[in-house]
């Protein structure tokens, strides 16, 4: 049921090697989210999504300049605070930002550009209407999850659509790590400027679970 639910809302062994065609992939990757960080207590939960992403994001099939950024998603379990902000350090550089509040929103969001991305953990100071709390976010990614390089290598070898796509002069690839109740997946979207062909991949086995739209 968890897999079925994830596929419906869709619309990745240990891997130590690098991508066989790393340079070719990099020329097309306009979004790369390799992990997700998480913290939870009795009052709220917070996700952090470190990623390299073009700015602005335009699905035009052309990769533009990318930046390092972290997207935060904050959810309260009872009382919702309108004025929330965070502060954190990466390599002795201080960053901070305010969450966007809208009355009907379930989550509060904040995006912050950074010079370097965290991987396994991130310490935050969260301010709720003047009350501060320090928290430590940890990676949700399982050690056995296949790397996106391994996934792309396998698709390039075994999937005719992906083979053809990678031969195109242009084209964007959007890669996002997904955790769902302890199970890891990869979303890989191939953007040709007209449509997005999106693959949902099992992070443990590399199995293709869904393709949208169908080829």
């Amino acid at each position: 049921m968890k897999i079925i639910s994830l596929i419906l809302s869709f619309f990745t062994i240990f891997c130590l090697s690098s991508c066989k065609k790393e340079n070719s992939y990099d020329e097309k990757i306009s979004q790369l989210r390799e992990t997700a960080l998480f913290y939870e207590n009795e009052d709220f939960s917070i996700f952090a999504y470190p990623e390299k992403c073009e700015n602005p994001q335009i699905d035009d099939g052309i990769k533009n300049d990318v930046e390092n950024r972290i997207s935060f998603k904050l959810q309260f379990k009872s009382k919702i605070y309108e004025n929330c902000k965070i502060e954190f350090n990466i390599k002795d550089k201080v960053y901070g930002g305010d969450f966007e509040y809208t009355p009907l929103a379930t989550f509060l969001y904040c995006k912050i550009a950074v010079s370097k991305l965290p991987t396994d953990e991130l310490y935050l100071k969260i301010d709720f209407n003047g009350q501060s709390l320090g928290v430590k976010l940890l990676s949700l990614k399982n050690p056995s999850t296949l790397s996106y390089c391994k996934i792309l290598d396998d698709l390039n070898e075994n999937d005719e659509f992906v083979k053809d796509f990678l031969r195109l002069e242009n084209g964007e690839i959007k890669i996002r790590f997904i955790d769902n109740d302890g199970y890891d997946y990869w979303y890989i979207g191939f953007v040709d400027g007209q449509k997005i062909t999106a693959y949902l991949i099992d992070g443990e086995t590399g199995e293709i679970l869904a393709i949208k739209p169908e080829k």
Side-chain angles (χ1 to χ4, degrees):
M1 289 300 294
K2 293 178 180 177
I3 293 178
I4 294 174
S5 175
L6 184 61
I7 292 174
L8 292 175
S9 65
F10 170 55
F11 334 33
T12 148
I13 218 181
F14 294 90
C15 181
L16 302 178
S17 62
S18 62
C19 296
K20 296 178 183 177
K21 301 182 181 297
E22 184 174 357
N23 292 334
S24 176
Y25 299 150
D26 187 62
E27 291 174 358
K28 295 181 183 298
I29 296 175
S30 60
Q31 182 184 27
L32 177 57
R33 180 185 296 174
E34 294 191 70
T35 190
L37 310 176
F38 179 71
Y39 171 84
E40 181 179 31
N41 62 22
E42 63 274 11
D43 298 317
F44 69 91
S45 62
I46 183 169
F47 289 87
Y49 303 101
E51 63 182 6
K52 295 181 179 181
C53 188
E54 66 176 2
N55 185 21
Q57 288 182 272
I58 304 173
D59 296 334
D60 56 3
I62 300 173
K63 176 189 174 181
N64 295 305
D65 292 338
V66 299
E67 67 176 14
N68 292 332
R69 74 180 185 194
I70 308 176
S71 298
F72 295 92
K73 185 172 73 172
L74 175 64
Q75 183 179 34
F76 293 101
K77 298 181 179 180
S78 54
K79 181 179 179 180
I80 297 178
Y81 292 88
E82 297 183 16
N83 300 311
C84 304
K85 59 184 179 180
I86 54 174
E87 184 179 290
F88 57 92
N89 289 275
I90 299 179
K91 296 295 183 180
D92 297 324
K93 187 171 182 179
V94 180
Y95 300 93
D98 297 322
F99 283 88
E100 299 177 8
Y101 174 78
T102 54
L104 299 179
T106 304
F107 298 95
L108 304 184
Y109 294 94
C110 178
K111 293 182 180 180
I112 301 175
V114 296
S115 58
K116 186 175 179 59
L117 295 172
T119 54
D120 298 323
E121 61 184 39
L122 180 65
Y123 293 88
L124 295 179
K125 184 175 74 172
I126 307 179
D127 187 292
F128 307 114
N129 288 6
Q131 299 180 4
S132 294
L133 175 68
V135 301
K136 180 181 179 180
L137 283 69
L138 298 175
S139 175
L140 291 170
K141 193 174 186 178
N142 295 320
S144 57
T145 297
L146 296 169
S147 73
Y148 78 91
C149 293
K150 171 62 174 172
I151 298 298
L152 283 177
D153 284 341
D154 289 348
L155 289 174
N156 190 30
E157 291 179 4
N158 302 302
D159 188 285
E160 291 301 323
F161 169 80
V162 176
K163 288 182 184 179
D164 293 339
F165 182 91
L166 293 174
R167 294 191 189 102
L168 297 175
E169 181 178 353
N170 291 316
E172 298 176 65
I173 304 175
K174 296 179 180 292
I175 302 171
R176 295 196 291 269
F177 166 83
I178 301 171
D179 170 84
N180 185 49
D181 291 337
Y183 295 91
D184 290 352
Y185 305 88
W186 289 104
Y187 164 98
I188 303 184
F190 298 93
V191 187
D192 63 10
Q194 302 296 322
K195 66 180 185 302
I196 301 177
T197 302
Y199 285 61
L200 183 65
I201 309 291
D202 187 293
E204 183 81 19
T205 66
E207 177 187 358
I208 299 173
L209 301 175
I211 302 174
K212 182 181 178 180
E214 294 291 339
K215 294 181 292 181

